[in-house]
Amino acid sequence: SMMFLSRSICSTSMIFAVATFLLKICLYFFLGAELGRNGKESFQTEEPKDTLVLAAQIFMLPVAVAIQEDLIGSYALIANIQYDPSIREKAPGATPTKWFIASLFRFVDGMCSLAINFVLLLQATEVLGLFLNFAALQFLQTVDNMAFGLAKDGYLGEHIEGIAELAMTLTLPKKQDRFMNSLDTIFFVLTFLFLLVSWVVVVIRQQNDEPTFLDDLDMVNRRLGLYGSLNGN
């Protein structure tokens, strides 16, 4: 990424990469705050959810994981790619520390996106609404791609354009370890299973109108005074 290849932490390419990351995190925060505005009431319905909606939610769980480009990319990096000091011959600023930080930022980005997708899935009361929400959220995942496109096309200066072109051409060696190469699949399955178990727990409580972890979240928000009681009281 441009963050990894930037010459220094004060370079324009580094500032641009960090600004793009923070922009996405802010957008996730705004959306998450809106989704949680009504607290547990956002996850409850007057009647048990329709069977068709529940079936659609189950089938959308693996999709919710698979469409997370940054999260899946992070899993692939961990499993298949290793840092090579020789890359500094072409990109002197590509240190192991920046490799770790850039990978961590990408993972955090992917997890935030997955969390928002999962909340949207839980709140869905209609199949069409579920699909439309997933489609609408896809634009957030393309923000960094659009930013990279602007950098590559030279709209942000020659230095950033050069780093973007470098990011397109440089490659790192692949790990030669069968177990490590399988970690991306293992992480994908574990992520899906975690979502599935969480979905089962939440849906059972929704159907039985039982209190969930959202009651505790409501209490925390009232005490912090973030935006008043999530129940609207």
Side-chain angles (χ1 to χ4, degrees):
S1 68
M2 295 181 60
M3 184 182 298
F4 169 53
L5 298 175
S6 60
R7 296 175 184 175
S8 69
I9 59 174
C10 297
S11 64
T12 54
S13 55
M14 171 63 82
I15 294 173
F16 174 70
V18 172
T20 302
F21 170 76
L22 293 178
L23 172 63
K24 292 188 70 176
I25 295 301
C26 287
L27 293 176
Y28 288 136
F29 174 78
F30 295 146
L31 184 54
E34 179 64 26
L35 291 174
R37 186 181 295 274
N38 296 319
K40 62 182 180 181
E41 292 182 355
S42 302
F43 295 81
Q44 294 175 339
T45 55
E46 296 180 359
E47 299 179 357
K49 287 186 178 180
D50 184 74
T51 303
L52 185 63
V53 175
L54 295 177
Q57 288 181 336
I58 293 178
F59 282 98
M60 287 298 289
L61 284 174
V63 176
V65 181
I67 64 176
Q68 306 307 322
E69 179 180 345
D70 290 304
L71 184 62
I72 297 301
S74 296
Y75 291 165
L77 283 178
I78 295 173
N80 301 298
I81 307 300
Q82 62 183 2
Y83 176 80
D84 184 1
S86 64
I87 195 174
R88 301 190 67 178
E89 297 176 3
K90 295 183 178 180
T95 63
T97 301
K98 284 199 288 185
W99 164 259
F100 173 78
I101 294 175
S103 300
L104 178 62
F105 277 22
R106 188 175 189 182
F107 175 77
V108 171
D109 186 345
M111 288 301 297
C112 288
S113 178
L114 178 61
I116 295 296
N117 270 272
F118 186 56
V119 172
L120 284 172
L121 184 145
L122 291 175
Q123 291 186 355
T125 57
E126 298 178 351
V127 174
L128 180 59
L130 172 61
F131 291 168
L132 290 177
N133 284 337
F134 266 63
L137 195 59
Q138 290 304 298
F139 89 94
L140 282 180
Q141 298 181 26
T142 64
V143 169
D144 47 0
N145 293 334
M146 289 187 292
F148 183 80
L150 290 175
K152 178 176 62 68
D153 293 337
Y155 288 99
L156 303 172
E158 293 183 0
H159 170 69
I160 295 180
E161 180 183 3
I163 296 296
E165 291 177 350
L166 194 61
M168 295 178 61
T169 57
L170 288 184
T171 59
L172 289 170
K174 185 175 181 179
K175 294 178 180 177
Q176 302 299 322
D177 186 303
R178 293 185 63 183
F179 172 74
M180 291 296 297
N181 295 155
S182 66
L183 283 180
D184 49 359
T185 302
I186 294 174
F187 289 153
F188 180 92
V189 173
L190 289 177
T191 304
F192 166 69
L193 291 177
F194 175 78
L195 292 186
L196 180 61
V197 171
S198 300
W199 177 84
V200 170
V201 171
V202 172
V203 167
I204 289 177
R205 294 188 174 186
Q206 282 179 334
Q207 299 298 86
N208 296 330
D209 197 25
E210 296 178 4
T212 68
F213 69 93
L214 294 165
D215 294 289
D216 298 328
L217 179 62
D218 186 33
M219 182 179 299
V220 169
N221 278 291
R222 284 203 303 269
R223 290 179 177 178
L224 293 177
L226 293 180
Y227 39 75
S229 171
L230 293 177
N231 287 323
N233 297 327

